[in-house]
Amino acid sequence: MTDILPQPPEQLCERINDIAVAAGQRILEIYNTDFTVENKDDKSPLTAADMASHEAIVHGLRNISTDIPVLSEESSGLDWQKRKGWRTYWLVDPLDGTKEFIRKNGEFTVNIALIRDHRPVLGCVYVPVSGTLYCGIEGTGAYRQDAAGRVDIHTRKTDTGRLAVAGSRSHGSEAQQRFMQQLENAETMAIGSSLKFCLVAEGKVDIYPRFGPTSEWDTAAAQCVVEQAGGLVTDLEFRTLLYNHKESILNPHFLVIGDPEFDWRPYLADTGED
């Protein structure tokens, strides 16, 4: 495998965005039908849309370069001995928020990230139902693009007088509830998939705490968007989330933080997670 990208990340961005949109179109073709739902080995739901999106993304990425490996949720059985030497690879969640897809509430995304030296250097999060796209490019910044056009996005400074927290619509936990109890009069926004990261990146909320299991493809693309918008994605010890540095593809519990200068440690004290 060559370590040389076919183009710099900023030039790759438009091509990745096009791939995400094409995958989203495949998803919507199935979303608007009476689709069936199966269960994967881990009992999580799987639809034909997951596989259709996966196939569209892999095909598009192979057209960019056949030398850069692809790790997708729908092709996750790659042996650690094979992938541990990867320095550069694509990390993909073809349909993040399958439960939201099944509920037909529109809160699901297509996530494509380029990982280099264990960090996401390009991330695309596409929302098929709304047509909204979020992109982060290392060293360049982050933006949102929709029918109204393209606008740069930034996280916001945290003000304890107007705290806002993003929470999972489908994966709440007792630790999350205890965390919320530490925040007086904080606004809570419940939303599915990697859209929670995007709320932080856009400066609409201050933090998204995740006290539950996720996999690396769930977070990589959106992490890039948040980081390039000025925020952080860390474990509960405030260490940046890294990728493909261990055999397990499971993430630790984590925090998506808008304001890097705000100290969230006191708010973790009674969650049982510190």
Side-chain angles (χ1 to χ4, degrees), residues 57-129:
I57 292 169
V58 171
H59 176 75
L61 294 178
R62 293 290 185 233
N63 283 339
I64 291 176
S65 173
T66 58
D67 293 322
I68 302 175
V70 179
L71 179 60
S72 166
E73 179 175 10
E74 306 313 332
S75 64
S76 58
L78 289 169
D79 185 78
W80 167 241
Q81 295 303 316
K82 180 177 180 180
R83 63 179 173 84
K84 70 178 182 179
W86 292 354
R87 183 181 176 193
T88 303
Y89 71 102
W90 299 107
L91 184 55
V92 174
D93 191 343
L95 202 172
D96 182 33
T98 302
K99 291 183 178 179
E100 314 308 328
F101 175 89
I102 292 168
R103 293 169 181 159
K104 292 200 170 185
N105 65 15
E107 296 174 0
F108 54 88
T109 59
V110 176
N111 298 340
I112 304 174
L114 179 65
I115 308 298
R116 189 175 179 86
D117 294 333
H118 310 294
R119 299 285 299 273
V121 297
L122 185 155
C124 171
V125 176
Y126 179 62
V127 191
V129 168

Side-chain angles (χ1 to χ4, degrees), residues 182-194:
Q182 307 302 309
L183 310 177
E184 294 184 7
N185 302 316
E187 179 185 5
T188 304
M189 296 187 184
I191 195 168
S193 72
S194 57

Side-chain angles (χ1 to χ4, degrees), residues 232-248:
L232 303 172
V233 181
T234 74
D235 65 17
L236 300 189
E237 298 297 323
F238 298 92
R239 298 170 297 205
T240 299
L241 287 198
L242 299 176
Y243 295 86
N244 201 44
H245 69 112
K246 61 187 187 335
E247 182 171 3
S248 172

